[in-house]
Amino acid sequence: MKLAALLFVCAAAAAGGSEAQDVAIAGDAGPVAAARPTVAGTLQQGKKLTANPGTWTGSGTITYSYQWYRCDGNGAHCSSVHGATKATYTEVAKDPGHSLGLTVRAVDPTGASAGYASPAGLVA
């Protein structure tokens, strides 16, 4: 993921997060998000969260990849969680007191775009 995209995730979270919007990575063509990604599940160590990639339009088959982030309690200062690249994430001992973020990368034959879920609240 480009640094600008990661910075957007943190900036959107710091600005309140709930109004974060989907944005294409600058310079790339690709799918367009009609509805941003979401996260479902219980925010508690040991529980599993599930990513919904959102709704995308594009050319041909669209594939998705995922990256989960651990952020401070305000949803800012995010760092990618090493190896957390699936549509599900089981919360670990480092997560309590932090919020979690998610980026979904959608790829079709014309290029790639990224969408961002609103930061999930504090993990218990």
Side-chain angles (χ1 to χ4, degrees):
M1 174 187 298
K2 294 181 180 178
L3 179 59
L6 177 58
L7 292 175
F8 172 82
V9 171
C10 292
S18 63
E19 299 301 319
Q21 297 179 1
D22 301 310
V23 182
I25 296 173
D28 289 343
V32 175
R36 72 175 172 211
T38 59
V39 174
T42 302
L43 292 168
Q44 182 178 349
Q45 181 182 341
K47 300 288 183 177
K48 185 185 293 187
L49 298 176
T50 302
N52 176 317
T55 305
W56 297 80
T57 58
S59 300
T61 301
I62 300 173
T63 59
Y64 304 101
S65 59
Y66 304 88
Q67 179 61 62
W68 294 87
Y69 295 88
R70 185 176 297 113
C71 308
D72 68 15
N74 295 318
H77 304 103
C78 303
S79 298
S80 59
V81 178
H82 180 72
T85 58
K86 297 182 180 180
T88 59
Y89 174 70
T90 301
E91 298 155 88
V92 298
K94 290 182 179 182
D95 293 331
H98 292 88
S99 59
L100 297 172
L102 171 72
T103 298
V104 175
R105 184 170 186 261
V107 178
D108 73 7
T110 67
S113 299
Y116 309 96
S118 295
L122 291 178
V123 175

